[in-house]
Amino acid sequence: MDPFVTAQWLAEHRDEVVLADARMYLDGRSAEAEYLRGHLPGAVFVDTETALAAPAAPEAGRHPLPAPEDFAAAMSAAGIGDDSTVVAYDDAGGVMAARLVWMLRTTGHRAAVLDGGLDAFPTEDLERHRAVLPAAEFTPVPWPREALADIDEATHGPLVVDARDRTRYAGQAPDPVDPRSGHIPGAVNVPCREHLREDRTLQPVQELRARFLAAGVTDATWMISYCGSGVTACHNLLVAEHAGLGAGRLFPGSWSQYSHTDRPVETSSSS
């Protein structure tokens, strides 16, 4: 299954999928409250903070991967089972929903991001009550080692890609959420939000591929992807796969882990 599906695809397969609202915000807003203000009909809410991450810690980052048993319990409670096909969306072009999709795909499940997300549907068609599905059987699966990179590998990796916006990557101002500004030395910047058009749908595949190639990513199997806390980095991984470049690895701790260490930092003036 491709990592992205269109609204038309969803309309044709709606009865065959579990639709998941996986919004997340860095500005203090409640994703659950936004979900209840309006979500796609029948979509269950999946909270990144509690379902897709273990508790934050300086040595692990703001959104470390949860234990497989905890992830399985959260999916089961949401009505997502071993045989479910999941389509996840958000209101940010998929850069947040990518975390859920990457976690599912990495553990062998069928899942995709809804291209365009909430913006692809009229406001009047949204539901404003919680959708609840029966609990489903979801078997815990260990996080595959080949899909992950630790802080040492991200520090010394030959192809490390930073998915954050150019301002945070450059580190010319205090970081809004992490203790130090800048990026991992040698990392190249491929801002995930620049994969999107104005309507928050993906750019054409050839343009996406060209962006990665320009950054030196000719084979994503060598790529280690990171961001602030391992959420939007998943979008770069899914987009690279969508562009035919293969599956890279996630550094889950990302900048929120790295910036708590005394490891060297690069900024645009020191690059």
Side-chain angles (χ1 to χ4, degrees), residues 71-93:
F71 178 53
M75 294 300 97
S76 175
I80 297 170
D82 289 336
D83 297 326
S84 297
T85 297
V86 176
V87 174
Y89 72 89
D90 56 32
D91 57 0

Side-chain angles (χ1 to χ4, degrees), residues 2 10 26 48 75-76 91 95 124 130 133 178 245 249 259:
D2 191 85
L10 178 63
L26 296 177
T48 299
M75 294 300 97
S76 175
D91 57 0
V95 300
E124 60 269 21
R130 187 181 302 278
L133 297 178
D178 292 314
L245 296 171
R249 292 191 288 162
S259 62

Side-chain angles (χ1 to χ4, degrees), residues 58-61 150-152 154-156 178-180 182-185 226-228 251 253-266:
E59 65 276 10
D150 61 25
I151 192 169
D152 290 326
T155 301
H156 303 293
D178 292 314
R180 292 198 289 165
H183 57 268
I184 297 173
Y226 82 94
C227 58
F251 170 29
S254 285
W255 189 248
S256 60
Q257 178 185 9
Y258 190 95
S259 62
H260 274 93
T261 72
D262 60 359
R263 295 173 186 245
V265 168
E266 228 169 43

Side-chain angles (χ1 to χ4, degrees), residues 175-243:
D175 193 286
V177 287
D178 292 314
R180 292 198 289 165
S181 299
H183 57 268
I184 297 173
V188 295
N189 192 203
V190 182
C192 63
R193 288 176 176 82
E194 294 184 14
H195 298 316
L196 306 175
R197 295 180 277 211
E198 289 187 8
D199 64 357
R200 293 182 179 172
T201 58
L202 283 174
Q203 300 278 358
V205 167
Q206 63 269 26
E207 294 186 25
L208 298 172
R209 187 179 179 88
R211 296 189 71 238
F212 280 106
L213 293 177
V217 182
T218 58
D219 181 353
T221 59
W222 295 99
M223 180 177 78
I224 295 173
S225 181
Y226 82 94
C227 58
S229 63
V231 176
T232 62
C234 295
H235 193 257
N236 265 0
L237 291 169
L238 297 182
V239 171
E241 184 180 350
H242 174 67

Side-chain angles (χ1 to χ4, degrees), residues 20-231:
D21 187 307
R23 281 178 263 191
M24 176 191 157
Y25 303 102
L26 296 177
D27 58 9
R29 278 182 291 166
S30 164
E32 185 172 18
E34 293 297 323
Y35 164 82
L36 292 172
R37 288 191 183 98
H39 59 84
L40 298 187
V44 297
F45 175 65
V46 176
D47 188 355
T48 299
E49 303 289 347
T50 58
L52 307 183
E59 65 276 10
R62 283 184 278 112
H63 295 104
L65 289 174
E69 294 75 16
D70 293 338
F71 178 53
M75 294 300 97
S76 175
I80 297 170
D82 289 336
D83 297 326
S84 297
T85 297
V86 176
V87 174
Y89 72 89
D90 56 32
D91 57 0
V95 300
M96 301 300 184
R99 168 77 170 218
L100 172 59
V101 171
W102 180 86
M103 291 169 70
L104 288 169
R105 291 175 68 92
T106 297
T107 51
H109 301 89
R110 286 172 55 84
V113 174
L114 177 60
D115 192 19
L118 199 65
D119 294 324
F121 294 82
T123 302
E124 60 269 21
D125 291 347
L126 302 183
E127 276 185 355
R128 291 171 175 81
H129 61 270
R130 187 181 302 278
V132 179
L133 297 178
E137 183 176 345
F138 192 101
T139 305
V141 175
W143 300 111
R145 182 65 190 88
E146 64 273 15
L148 303 175
D150 61 25
I151 192 169
D152 290 326
E153 291 169 308
T155 301
H156 303 293
L159 184 55
V160 182
V161 176
D162 188 319
R164 297 174 299 163
D165 63 52
R166 297 180 185 278
T167 300
R168 288 187 68 197
Y169 170 84
Q172 293 302 294
D175 193 286
V177 287
D178 292 314
R180 292 198 289 165
S181 299
H183 57 268
I184 297 173
V188 295
N189 192 203
V190 182
C192 63
R193 288 176 176 82
E194 294 184 14
H195 298 316
L196 306 175
R197 295 180 277 211
E198 289 187 8
D199 64 357
R200 293 182 179 172
T201 58
L202 283 174
Q203 300 278 358
V205 167
Q206 63 269 26
E207 294 186 25
L208 298 172
R209 187 179 179 88
R211 296 189 71 238
F212 280 106
L213 293 177
V217 182
T218 58
D219 181 353
T221 59
W222 295 99
M223 180 177 78
I224 295 173
S225 181
Y226 82 94
C227 58
S229 63
V231 176

